[in-house]
Amino acid sequence: MMYPKIPLAQSIIEICQQKGVQHIVISPGSRNAPLTIGFTNNPYFKCYSIADERCAAFFALGIAQQIQKTVVVVCTSGSAVLNYYPAVAEAFYSQIPLVVISADRPQSKIDIGDGQTIRQENVFANHSLYNANLQENVSTENDNHIQMALHVAVTQKGPVHINAPFEEPLYETVSELQVHPEIIDFNTEIKSFSLGNSTIETWNKATKKLVLVGEFFPNSVEQRYLDVLANDKSVVVLTEKTSNLHHPTFIDQIDTLITPFTEDDFKAFQPEILLTFGGMVVSKRIKAFLRKYKPAHHWHVDELRAYDTFGALTNHFETKINIFLSKLLMENAIESSYKSSIASIWKDRVAKHIEYTAKIPFSDFKVFDFICQNLPKNIQLQVSNSSAIRYLQLFDLDKSIQVFCNRGTSGIDGSTSTAIGAASATNLSTILITGDISFLYDSNALWNNYIPKNFKIILLNNSGGGIFRILPGHQETETFNTYFETSHQLNASHLAKMYNLEYFEANDEISLEEQYKVFLNQNEKPSILEIFTPEKENDGILLEFFRKLK
């Protein structure tokens, strides 16, 4: 086997293999050549080459999102590593084990005017869980830092940074390993968990209990616990599309439910106990409600972190959700009208939703209604941020569809790259729903040799950042159109041709129905369906929807 001659590179590669890290995303460069040579010439590793560093990091993030294991992304020295930062921040807040290995020049070459040198050590300090600043020579201390970084990424679920200085020559190889790092066996203690009687008693006595679930990996909660929550008259369960939890009694269109509420409605809905688990919550309206009408108790369940999102956090239970629910839940016979009253309101909302949708003209709202009714079953659905994920929240989806979105930082910058990485790591067909600004911003994502043939993009092009039209303060001015909405007349047809993607377009309901069928059935190569909607009308149709619910 071929190995890099530089011992430090050998140590990094050998430790990654011994620790079971298999997926390596490489951003081409020169300073990282020793790592590239070592990883790519070892059949244990599955390596990918992604030229654009920002896209590479989000691609790696998408793989890690799906396999729920560590993925390494490797780059050269200089500004290259800075382009990883958006994905690092996303991994930090979404609890995804992403490992950045940046090649660097030796310390003596930093800040002397040498090319492609910046201060790389601790560059991600605010958003990395561990920073391993290695020394040029092989040492036990280096090996320990590398292993600790990999350990932290897995056990604390987040990004870590390994910075490795290499001196030239960089491309020399040897046929035998020169290093044999001592592998540390991190015996992670499994914490026992128990609930106090007072917590169980508080839960059982409460007549208004709200369960709010944020972003969650599919099939993570045992169905028996969901059934107990669903059968409890004192419990209302609110989920989001990214929660990936399903039960006929759960409500996954939060804004549709609460937007028309009066002050009396909000007071009636105010819970005694708020139980939350999962990642970030999309709905701004539920956040505003819970910040104003605070629960007496807010319990969050997560092995690692608890954010005080609503300014009411009283308990952080550091355990897995199934363990927590197994200790908490029992058949609760307490009398309560909490669930039934919300169920009655929800039934009325659904009827008005159907009535409104049937009457509206072609628009973003109409398109999302069509898409959600006609998505194939048993797929992975990736969704970009901003308008796309918020529109998706308003419609029903088949429960077999798994939904993912980069909600850690809620940025639009890497949605397509993440989706492609995720698609490459799953057996499910993958569809990305994205807006035009997010798509154009991340168009280098298509500069990628690993896009599955059945990967599909549904691109809603409303000629700008339509979400800004529904935010308070919108005025039709040149400043708004240029600097907020970023109005444009671009389309994806030439990008599709350049990257060899099949391209379809629709401009109205008839062409959408026709093109959508062909688009879904085309699996010879990746494809884009670009749907053009009216720039000026979309916001009015959406805002009128919420008014009609009242």
Side-chain angles (χ1 to χ4, degrees):
M1 192 182 296
M2 185 187 297
Y3 301 98
K5 186 176 181 180
I6 296 176
L8 177 59
Q10 291 185 17
S11 291
I12 293 170
I13 293 159
E14 182 68 10
I15 290 170
C16 283
Q17 180 171 351
Q18 292 295 324
K19 290 296 182 179
V21 178
Q22 194 166 21
H23 293 268
I24 313 294
V25 179
I26 298 171
S27 303
S30 183
R31 187 62 50 172
N32 58 334
L35 295 171
T36 300
I37 291 168
F39 281 126
T40 58
N41 283 282
N42 186 330
Y44 173 79
F45 297 106
K46 184 171 184 179
C47 296
Y48 312 80
S49 176
I50 307 290
D52 184 311
E53 281 89 1
R54 183 169 57 81
C55 295
F58 276 109
F59 178 85
L61 183 93
I63 297 173
Q65 174 201 84
Q66 290 300 302
I67 67 174
Q68 299 283 286
K69 294 179 181 178
T70 300
V71 175
V72 166
V73 60
V74 180
C75 71
T76 190
S77 64
S79 61
V81 68
L82 300 180
N83 290 288
Y84 285 165
Y85 212 134
V88 168
E90 178 63 34
F92 180 83
Y93 288 107
S94 288
Q95 299 189 12
I96 293 176
L98 183 70
V99 176
V100 172
I101 304 180
S102 57
D104 199 358
R105 276 161 166 69
Q107 192 65 39
S108 61
K109 299 291 182 68
I110 308 300
D111 287 344
I112 66 168
D114 214 11
Q116 284 189 293
T117 58
I118 64 169
R119 299 172 186 176
Q120 292 181 202
E121 292 187 353
N122 305 313
V123 72
F124 303 121
N126 284 338
H127 296 96
S128 57
L129 301 178
Y130 190 86
N131 297 285
N133 298 308
L134 307 183
Q135 301 302 308
E136 188 178 349
N137 295 322
V138 165
S139 67
T140 300
E141 183 180 7
N142 272 346
D143 293 347
N144 292 346
H145 275 307
I146 297 164
Q147 294 183 69
M148 180 58 73
L150 298 180
H151 176 69
V152 168
V154 171
T155 57
Q156 296 186 29
K157 298 180 182 178
V160 298
H161 179 206
I162 300 171
N163 192 61
F166 299 130
E167 183 58 281
E168 298 176 12
L170 302 168
Y171 295 89
E172 294 183 347
T173 62
V174 294
S175 58
E176 293 185 3
L177 273 177
Q178 299 168 278
V179 301
H180 301 281
E182 183 178 344
I183 302 303
I184 302 170
D185 182 15
F186 293 97
N187 292 315
T188 305
E189 182 181 350
I190 300 176
K191 297 179 182 178
S192 61
F193 178 79
S194 60
L195 270 182
N197 290 333
S198 61
T199 300
I200 298 172
E201 185 177 353
T202 299
W203 175 266
N204 288 335
K205 285 184 177 180
T207 59
K208 295 165 66 179
K209 300 186 279 275
L210 179 63
V211 178
L212 175 62
V213 188
E215 189 175 25
F216 219 64
F217 197 76
N219 306 312
S220 294
V221 183
E222 293 183 31
Q223 188 63 43
R224 55 178 170 158
Y225 301 134
L226 301 181
D227 292 339
V228 173
L229 290 170
N231 293 327
D232 191 326
K233 296 178 182 178
S234 63
V235 173
V236 170
V237 179
L238 299 182
T239 65
E240 299 194 300
K241 294 300 183 291
T242 53
S243 302
N244 291 298
L245 288 185
H246 306 284
H247 194 281
T249 67
F250 295 175
I251 297 173
D252 69 349
Q253 298 166 48
I254 298 173
D255 289 357
T256 301
L257 173 70
I258 71 172
T259 299
F261 274 3
T262 64
E263 185 173 352
D264 288 341
D265 293 330
F266 279 125
K267 288 179 179 178
F269 190 44
Q270 182 177 10
E272 299 166 50
I273 299 174
L274 170 66
L275 172 62
T276 59
F277 57 93
M280 302 300 186
V281 173
V282 175
S283 172
K284 294 177 67 175
R285 288 179 169 90
I286 195 66
K287 293 176 190 175
F289 159 62
L290 290 168
R291 286 166 183 164
K292 183 175 181 180
Y293 301 90
K294 298 182 188 297
H297 307 273
H298 174 199
W299 302 345
H300 186 74
V301 183
D302 187 279
E303 292 178 272
L304 299 169
R305 307 180 207 172
Y307 295 114
D308 192 7
T309 305
F310 316 108
L313 185 67
T314 52
N315 292 89
H316 173 201
F317 296 101
E318 298 180 42
T319 188
K320 297 179 184 294
I321 186 59
N322 285 311
I323 294 174
F324 176 82
L325 294 178
S326 72
K327 306 289 186 183
L328 178 73
L329 298 182
M330 58 190 70
E331 295 299 332
N332 191 1
I334 192 167
E335 284 302 316
S336 172
S337 61
Y338 192 54
K339 180 188 290 289
S340 61
S341 63
I342 294 300
S344 177
I345 294 170
W346 179 239
K347 183 178 180 180
D348 179 66
R349 298 278 195 271
V350 171
K352 288 180 177 177
H353 187 294
I354 294 171
E355 180 183 356
Y356 180 77
T357 307
K359 297 178 180 179
I360 59 174
F362 191 72
S363 57
D364 284 348
F365 197 100
K366 193 77 168 181
V367 168
F368 268 92
D369 178 62
F370 174 85
I371 292 170
C372 291
Q373 289 188 53
N374 292 281
L375 283 170
K377 295 181 179 180
N378 300 304
I379 65 167
Q380 175 190 177
L381 183 66
Q382 292 277 338
V383 190
S384 73
N385 274 302
S386 206
S387 294
I389 187 60
R390 296 188 185 281
Y391 268 110
L392 191 76
Q393 297 282 87
L394 303 176
F395 298 92
D396 283 329
L397 281 182
D398 188 87
K399 66 180 182 180
S400 69
I401 297 173
Q402 300 182 4
V403 182
F404 298 91
C405 179
N406 285 346
R407 291 306 299 175
T409 63
S410 306
I412 68 166
D413 38 4
S415 297
T416 308
S417 297
T418 302
I420 294 172
S424 73
T426 180
N427 293 324
L428 297 177
S429 297
T430 301
I431 294 178
L432 166 68
I433 300 179
T434 183
D436 50 342
I437 300 299
S438 180
F439 173 81
L440 293 169
Y441 193 91
D442 195 26
S443 60
N444 263 5
L446 304 179
W447 184 11
N448 186 306
N449 294 323
Y450 312 99
I451 307 177
K453 290 182 179 180
N454 60 356
F455 179 74
K456 301 182 185 301
I457 299 173
I458 298 176
L459 167 59
L460 273 81
N461 189 338
N462 54 25
S463 303
I467 193 169
F468 290 100
R469 291 184 164 272
I470 62 175
L471 297 177
H474 159 241
Q475 292 181 338
E476 201 66 36
T477 64
E478 183 178 346
T479 295
F480 173 83
N481 292 334
T482 302
Y483 297 102
F484 289 92
E485 188 180 37
T486 57
S487 295
H488 66 86
Q489 299 301 317
L490 304 174
N491 65 69
S493 60
H494 294 290
L495 280 171
K497 184 176 181 180
M498 180 168 70
Y499 291 115
N500 196 29
L501 274 66
E502 200 71 42
Y503 178 79
F504 305 88
E505 67 174 272
N507 300 277
D508 52 35
E509 290 185 58
I510 294 175
S511 62
L512 176 58
E513 290 185 16
E514 293 174 349
Q515 293 297 299
Y516 188 76
K517 292 176 183 177
V518 183
F519 166 74
L520 285 185
N521 291 327
Q522 197 290 123
N523 291 307
E524 294 302 313
K525 58 183 180 180
S527 53
I528 297 175
L529 170 59
E530 186 166 20
I531 307 169
F532 297 91
T533 62
E535 177 187 6
K536 300 290 194 297
E537 289 84 353
N538 285 316
D539 60 317
I541 291 170
L542 178 61
L543 295 173
E544 183 64 17
F545 165 70
F546 290 117
R547 285 191 286 267
K548 290 292 186 182
L549 292 174
K550 295 181 179 179

